[in-house]
Amino acid sequence: MTETVQHFFEARPESVGQARQFVSTVLSGWGCVERRDDIRLCVSELATNALVHGTVADRGFLVRLNAEDDVVRLEVHDSLRRRPELRQTVDTDLSGRGLVLVAALADGWGVQDRTPLGKIVWSCFKGA
């Protein structure tokens, strides 16, 4: 059985923590606790990226969770088409590790265009 839940968040710094709490609540309700910490960390990184790099004034971001069989798909939708890039960082970098963490924790991730505008950054987690 497929289950999908989504929530829209305003473009405010506290929305990142709210997105984390939303994910925790949904996953607990679904009984998906095995990979909950990985998914929470990934939503933090993707929501932060959406807030800093993917939203314009007065536009927030959407978090969608989809569970099917033993796979959870996390999506963060924002309003700009500018695609994030996985980059190599050095020890002195103060930022830029978000997608590195997502790539390390998720079983897959990617970016797709969103109609009519924006993009979706997704990650999936098996055995959730």
Side-chain angles (χ1 to χ4, degrees):
M1 176 177 217
T2 302
E3 296 194 53
T4 302
V5 179
Q6 63 186 28
H7 187 76
F8 180 81
F9 296 92
E10 294 180 19
R12 303 178 312 174
E14 55 270 20
S15 291
V16 174
Q18 292 168 356
R20 233 182 354 261
Q21 184 58 49
F22 166 72
V23 165
S24 288
T25 300
V26 170
L27 293 175
S28 292
W30 287 346
C32 299
V33 295
E34 184 103 5
R35 307 268 322 261
R36 183 175 48 206
D37 290 341
D38 292 345
I39 299 169
R40 278 176 44 95
L41 181 55
C42 288
V43 79
S44 288
E45 296 301 333
L46 296 180
T48 299
N49 282 353
L51 185 65
V52 174
H53 305 290
T55 59
V56 293
D58 299 326
R59 298 211 182 204
F61 59 92
L62 178 89
V63 174
R64 178 179 291 157
L65 287 168
N66 177 281
E68 186 170 1
D69 298 324
D70 69 339
V71 178
V72 170
R73 179 180 166 109
L74 165 67
E75 297 178 355
V76 177
H77 300 225
D78 64 39
S79 53
L80 296 178
R81 285 264 165 108
R82 189 172 133 214
R83 289 176 173 255
E85 294 180 17
L86 186 64
R87 29 179 252 177
Q88 296 297 322
T89 60
V90 295
D91 291 343
T92 56
D93 286 342
L94 299 177
S95 64
R97 292 179 178 83
L99 287 179
V100 173
L101 288 171
V102 171
L105 294 173
D107 294 302
W109 76 277
V111 183
Q112 63 191 72
D113 289 340
R114 182 172 165 244
T115 303
L117 57 94
K119 67 182 168 301
I120 302 167
V121 183
W122 60 269
S123 54
C124 58
F125 303 85
K126 296 176 183 172

